[in-house]
Amino acid sequence: MDKYKKEKLKSRIAWTIAFLFALIWVCITGLPFLFMILNSFKEQFEMLQKGVFQLPDSWYPANFIEVLTKGFLNYFFNSVFVLVISLSILLFITACASYPLSRMQFKLRNLIYILIVACMSVPMHVTLIPVFKMTTKFKIYDTLWSLIGPNIAFGIPISCFILTTFMSTIPKEIEESAEIDGCGKFKNFFAIILPLSKAGISTLAIYNGVGIWNEFSFANTLTQSKAAKTLPLAISAFQGEHSLNIPVIMAVLVLTVLPMIIMFIIFQDKLVKGIMAGAVKG
């Protein structure tokens, strides 16, 4: 009986500690978003006169109206275009590369895999000048197409590393049974491996999607005109020359972050399943 009480006490202590850490983590991650929401509904000088976490005297939606009517949607649709095209090509290339690396044995397999993984150590910023020269040479500078290539190139190494590990957990007996029934490598890939890799691909879609949506360095270097800029550059469009309307900036940030939060809430179960499935050897 004493042993049962001790185990029960340990369990309660463990859950209490876990709850406290979770509460601290919620405060750390949630307070910045709460700060943005509260101040986005205030008038220009209200947050300077009172506390930044104080409720607005009167909810002031004019900040959002101003943002939406002064070009925000242009930045938004630019980001959506770059995200959809980049992510689609990235996931397709990653899946095509991960399949032979995880399911086939050939002479240069390990070397190719090592080279792909080694590319993860290349800093993005050291490539800014070479990429800039390439975009001007191919005459795609200051267009949305100039952003798609870098997003794909820097997403492939980590994506291949994750998806190759994930695909290697799929039992080979499934593929061997299909080959006995007459399935070739291409049919195995599209009919068996890809459907079974949905959890891993969904994880990569969320992971890379957030990175592409928030990408700033290449967007700032490879675009100049308002027509080609994406959401991370939208803040500069709402900064005055001699004054700064902080509530308007907060409204821009809220509208920028909101789509990714909604996407994460909808697909969080797939993200967790993909991480857990890739962590366990099948």
Side-chain angles (χ1 to χ4, degrees):
M1 193 66 179
D2 291 337
K3 186 177 180 181
Y4 172 75
K5 288 182 178 179
K6 287 181 179 179
E7 292 295 329
K8 193 173 182 180
L9 180 61
K10 288 181 180 178
S11 177
R12 288 181 177 176
I13 293 173
W15 277 108
T16 302
I17 294 172
F19 176 78
L20 289 174
F21 275 110
L23 186 63
I24 293 170
W25 184 250
V26 168
C27 292
I28 292 173
T29 57
L31 282 177
F33 192 64
L34 179 64
F35 169 81
M36 289 192 301
I37 292 176
L38 290 178
N39 291 290
S40 65
F41 284 100
K42 295 179 180 179
E43 297 187 32
Q44 183 172 2
F45 300 106
E46 185 178 344
M47 68 174 293
L48 301 177
Q49 297 170 350
K50 301 179 180 179
V52 293
F53 286 103
Q54 185 175 338
L55 290 174
D57 292 336
S58 61
W59 297 92
Y60 189 70
N63 296 324
F64 289 92
I65 297 173
E66 180 180 349
V67 169
L68 292 173
T69 55
K70 290 189 176 179
F72 179 84
L73 293 178
N74 176 65
Y75 297 105
F76 178 80
F77 287 118
N78 285 347
S79 287
V80 170
F81 176 82
V82 172
L83 174 65
V84 171
I85 301 297
S86 301
L87 197 57
S88 300
I89 298 174
L90 171 60
L91 293 178
F92 180 74
I93 293 175
T94 300
C96 291
S98 300
Y99 175 61
L101 290 173
S102 61
R103 315 296 295 181
M104 301 178 188
Q105 295 294 332
F106 50 92
K107 190 174 182 180
L108 298 177
R109 173 185 172 276
N110 292 333
L111 178 61
I112 294 172
Y113 184 67
I114 290 171
L115 289 175
I116 291 174
V117 173
C119 290
M120 292 167 55
S121 63
V122 178
M124 177 186 296
H125 300 89
V126 303
T127 66
L128 287 175
I129 294 177
V131 171
F132 174 79
K133 289 184 176 180
M134 287 177 63
T135 56
T136 53
K137 184 177 180 180
F138 288 104
K139 297 181 180 180
I140 57 173
Y141 174 74
D142 199 26
T143 66
L144 295 177
W145 296 103
S146 64
L147 305 178
I148 293 173
N151 287 332
I152 296 171
F154 280 93
I156 285 177
I158 182 65
S159 300
C160 276
F161 175 72
I162 294 173
L163 197 58
T164 299
T165 305
F166 184 90
M167 285 186 175
S168 64
T169 64
I170 300 173
K172 291 185 177 180
E173 291 77 11
I174 298 175
E175 199 172 2
E176 291 170 354
S177 300
E179 289 177 357
I180 293 173
D181 293 335
C183 284
K185 294 296 182 183
F186 285 98
K187 193 170 183 181
N188 268 338
F189 174 64
F190 288 104
I192 297 175
I193 302 301
L194 271 186
L196 292 176
S197 302
K198 280 183 179 179
I201 294 173
S202 299
T203 302
L204 291 180
I206 297 172
Y207 175 81
N208 288 294
V210 173
I212 293 171
W213 187 263
N214 295 325
E215 201 286 314
F216 177 83
S217 297
F218 283 113
N220 190 45
T221 304
L222 303 178
T223 59
Q224 185 176 9
S225 63
K226 182 179 178 181
K229 289 186 177 181
T230 53
L231 274 179
L233 304 175
I235 295 177
S236 61
F238 295 93
Q239 292 178 350
E241 185 177 355
H242 302 291
S243 63
L244 183 64
N245 193 337
I246 296 178
V248 170
I249 301 299
M250 293 295 110
V252 174
L253 292 175
V254 170
L255 292 175
T256 301
V257 174
L258 198 58
M260 289 295 103
I261 293 177
I262 294 173
M263 186 183 74
F264 182 80
I265 292 173
I266 295 173
F267 297 107
Q268 63 175 329
D269 58 330
K270 296 184 181 296
L271 179 63
V272 173
K273 287 179 182 178
I275 294 173
M276 295 302 295
V280 180
K281 186 76 175 176

